[in-house]
Amino acid sequence: MKLRCFIIDDEPLALSLLENYASKTDFLELAGKFTSAIAALNTLRTSPPDLIFLDIQMAELNGLELAQLVPPRTRIILTTAFQQYALEGYKVNALDYLLKPFSYANFLNAATKALEWFELKAKAENAPASETDEPFIFVKTDAKLMRIEIRHILYAEGLKDYLKLYLDNEERPVIVHMTMKSFESIVPADKFLRVHKSFIVQTNRINIIEHNRIVFGKTRIPISDSYKEKFQQFMEGKVVN
């Protein structure tokens, strides 16, 4: 598999180094290099790459801002000289983060993660129908992609830029680098309901509701005022007096 990649960095030396690293990597095809996010925008919209090596600190439009405009299928590897931006990368679902100055080994490791991500995605998309009848999602956890079948998810708990996914087939929650908004966008809307700013539940896994709380074992998930109306709409016709 070949990945079409862009390099976006306003430092000429960094741009040159990344170009050199990409040319050494046989599964990367350099499809564009840009010295600013603004310069890259039009090409991103008309001919989006598979992967972008994206500098964070740039004038006018920085890398994190550009990441919000990147097409959903394009993956991002952030590059920066400042370590404090590592957490910011998870807000835009970056696959990895390279701290300048980085070696070719670091670059190759990050690029390989991207390759593995696309290979897993292709495998899922091309799998026989019998293997994909069960709905599933891929989530990023500990720098790897993990397949989770929808039916096993009980609920998700938000922790700033991370989520805890509670599954019926795992003793401990799975920690994933994802926001609540991102999670809501990838799970079936007819199966999942947000009941609190920090909780999304799978509705067909709700068995007990007690004192305005949804009970999962020893955990009691509150139904907040902001989401109470939606929850009541869901419950309409399901309560037998």
Side-chain angles (χ1 to χ4, degrees), residues 54-227:
L54 179 60
D55 185 32
I56 292 179
Q57 299 86 21
M58 290 184 289
E60 297 183 287
L61 188 69
N62 68 39
L64 293 174
E65 291 166 336
L66 178 65
Q68 305 291 339
L69 306 173
V70 167
R73 72 171 303 279
T74 298
R75 299 291 89 190
I76 296 168
I77 294 174
L78 292 172
T79 65
T80 182
F82 299 95
Q83 193 165 7
Q84 67 265 29
Y85 284 111
L87 187 58
E88 298 294 320
Y90 294 122
K91 291 182 180 179
V92 295
N93 287 329
L95 276 182
D96 209 348
Y97 173 93
L98 290 170
L99 185 63
K100 297 177 181 179
F102 48 84
S103 66
Y104 176 63
N106 298 139
F107 174 91
L108 182 59
N109 184 54
T112 301
K113 285 180 187 176
L115 179 65
E116 289 170 350
W117 191 93
F118 278 98
E119 286 176 340
L120 278 171
K121 185 172 181 288
K123 184 179 178 182
E125 290 173 347
N126 298 324
S130 60
E131 294 180 25
T132 57
D133 285 345
E134 188 67 50
F136 63 90
I137 58 173
F138 275 109
V139 296
K140 186 171 67 172
T141 176
D142 295 328
K144 63 185 178 185
L145 287 172
M146 178 179 178
R147 173 179 163 143
I148 295 178
E149 292 180 358
I150 295 292
R151 66 189 173 93
H152 290 304
I153 302 173
L154 299 173
Y155 63 94
E157 179 183 2
L159 299 168
K160 291 188 177 179
D161 303 310
Y162 294 81
L163 283 184
K164 281 185 178 181
L165 291 185
Y166 291 83
L167 313 176
D168 64 7
N169 59 347
E170 295 283 346
E171 288 185 10
R172 296 181 180 180
V174 177
I175 309 295
V176 301
H177 304 305
M178 183 182 291
T179 62
M180 292 286 275
K181 184 178 179 180
S182 296
F183 180 73
E184 275 187 296
S185 71
I186 64 171
V187 293
D190 61 337
K191 294 181 183 295
F192 288 82
L193 186 65
R194 194 160 186 171
V195 297
H196 187 277
K197 68 177 183 179
S198 300
F199 291 98
I200 295 173
V201 301
Q202 181 161 191
T203 54
N204 62 7
R205 303 306 302 270
I206 297 174
N207 293 319
I208 300 173
I209 303 166
E210 184 179 72
H211 304 305
N212 209 37
R213 283 171 167 73
I214 300 166
V215 181
F216 285 104
K218 294 181 180 180
T219 302
R220 282 167 166 72
I221 296 173
I223 303 165
S224 70
D225 291 340
S226 303
Y227 298 94

Side-chain angles (χ1 to χ4, degrees), residues 6-68:
F6 282 1
I7 297 167
I8 306 174
D9 200 309
D10 62 357
E11 298 175 19
L13 286 176
L15 196 71
S16 177
L17 181 68
L18 283 163
E19 183 178 6
N20 180 39
Y21 285 171
S23 69
K24 292 181 180 180
T25 310
D26 59 3
F27 59 83
L28 292 181
E29 176 191 333
L30 183 57
K33 54 180 183 176
F34 306 88
T35 55
S36 76
I38 299 291
L41 264 179
N42 284 339
T43 311
L44 274 174
R45 289 170 179 153
T46 57
S47 182
D50 300 307
L51 179 65
I52 302 175
F53 292 93
L54 179 60
D55 185 32
I56 292 179
Q57 299 86 21
M58 290 184 289
E60 297 183 287
L61 188 69
N62 68 39
L64 293 174
E65 291 166 336
L66 178 65
Q68 305 291 339

